[in-house]
Amino acid sequence: MTEILRCLTKFAGLYGLLTAAGKTLPPEPVDIWHREIRALRNATGLWDAIGAEDAAALRRILPQHQAAKGKELSRLAREHLARRVTEKMAVGRFELIAEPDFALRYRPVRLIDAIWQRFAEEIAGMIACARCPAPKCGHWFLRSGGRGDR
């Protein structure tokens, strides 16, 4: 438990609080972090099971759909994941920005909103992430970002 708190404190120190925006902020309860980590772990586990077409994992994650098979199970899993991500994005805080060329963008205000936004972009196919194959690295990066020769 102490190691988890140390990691969370370091992460918050580097990137900011999960659920607040601004300069001087009070500390967040660790329960908020645990709840969000659990929600993200559940969502990414479901996404990984969908991608791997792992019916056993899908049935374990979605016990209410034990009788579903094949494409039906995959469809139900995708619908379940879409609902979860939609719920998180619906309560997110975003700024609407008008660019000089009149393009409209939105930017997440809180760190947790940025995390869910990136996850939603990945499952929607807007971005693709990959883990670095170099030995002892394992960092994640956008496939579309950076150089194409590495």
Side-chain angles (χ1 to χ4, degrees):
M1 182 66 165
T2 306
E3 185 61 30
I4 291 172
L5 289 174
R6 195 177 2 255
C7 289
L8 292 176
T9 303
K10 182 180 177 186
F11 187 84
L14 290 172
Y15 301 105
L17 299 177
L18 277 181
T19 61
K23 298 285 181 205
T24 45
L25 303 166
E28 290 175 314
V30 175
D31 290 347
I32 290 173
W33 286 76
H34 284 274
R35 186 174 50 246
E36 292 299 335
I37 289 168
R38 199 171 18 260
L40 283 162
R41 186 175 289 142
N42 291 340
T44 56
L46 180 54
W47 178 239
D48 289 343
I50 291 169
E53 298 178 1
D54 186 346
L58 290 174
R59 285 192 185 89
R60 190 173 53 255
I61 295 168
L62 303 170
Q64 67 272 30
H65 299 299
Q66 290 294 323
K69 294 183 180 175
K71 292 185 185 224
E72 177 68 10
L73 181 59
S74 180
R75 182 187 65 76
L76 292 168
R78 286 178 178 276
E79 287 176 2
H80 182 83
L81 181 59
R83 278 192 305 276
R84 294 294 165 257
V85 172
T86 299
E87 289 168 2
K88 290 295 188 175
M89 296 293 290
V91 297
R93 295 185 192 144
F94 298 92
E95 295 175 334
L96 186 60
I97 301 164
E99 296 291 332
D101 61 354
F102 298 106
L104 293 177
R105 304 185 304 124
Y106 66 94
R107 180 176 48 208
V109 173
R110 305 175 307 172
L111 176 60
I112 193 61
D113 301 328
I115 293 169
W116 282 104
Q117 176 187 3
R118 279 299 198 189
F119 183 59
E121 289 171 349
E122 183 174 357
I123 65 175
M126 297 170 64
I127 62 171
C129 298
R131 184 171 277 195
C132 178
K136 298 183 182 177
C137 179
H139 283 97
W140 286 91
F141 62 93
L142 289 175
R143 281 193 193 141
S144 57
R147 297 173 28 187
D149 63 339
R150 289 190 184 192

